[in-house]
Amino acid sequence: MGSWPWGRMADECDVHLVPIVSAEGCVYCRRFLANAPPGQMMPEGARLEELEQWLAARLSVPAELLYRRIEELVGRRISLSELEDPDLLLERARGPRRAWDWDDW
């Protein structure tokens, strides 16, 4: 996983391969996030593919925007500590949706 949310924004977007010239982040990533389909409406394969892409890429948008999208793709609130192990987070997202528990706060 990239250095987000604890590091600074990347100089270039890993997805769009364009320079990031402002604190607003990658123009294309921001445009996507502004119009992204709701996570619960996406087929599981597409949802997991997008989640994996965000978890693997360096930070290309403000962390709070990306964090919000990851929560939507996972289908629940997540803790920052879950981002330290993206493989486990992805595995949990593959599993059946579950009720809230202590890991969700």
Side-chain angles (χ1 to χ4, degrees):
M1 179 168 108
S3 61
W4 86 272
W6 303 277
R8 64 180 185 84
M9 197 171 306
D11 296 327
E12 180 179 87
C13 176
D14 289 345
V15 176
H16 298 105
L17 304 176
V18 297
I20 297 173
V21 295
S22 100
E24 299 288 314
C26 173
V27 175
Y28 302 105
C29 287
R30 287 184 59 89
R31 187 180 307 151
F32 172 79
L33 289 173
N35 299 303
Q40 71 272 17
M41 302 301 287
M42 297 173 69
E44 182 178 8
R47 183 178 55 80
L48 294 173
E49 185 177 321
E50 182 185 340
L51 176 61
E52 186 171 15
Q53 183 178 1
W54 287 120
L55 291 173
R58 293 178 298 161
L59 186 60
S60 61
V61 295
E64 61 275 1
L65 293 177
L66 187 52
Y67 188 79
R68 205 171 327 150
R69 181 62 180 167
I70 288 173
E71 284 188 331
E72 185 170 344
L73 293 169
V74 171
R76 62 175 174 80
R77 292 185 54 104
I78 62 169
S79 68
L80 287 177
S81 64
E82 287 184 282
L83 296 174
E84 294 174 2
D85 190 347
D87 293 331
L88 179 59
L89 181 57
L90 196 57
E91 189 60 36
R92 287 179 175 174
R94 281 189 181 100
R97 300 292 170 119
R98 59 186 173 83
W100 180 92
D101 71 21
W102 290 106
D103 289 337
D104 297 335
W105 62 275

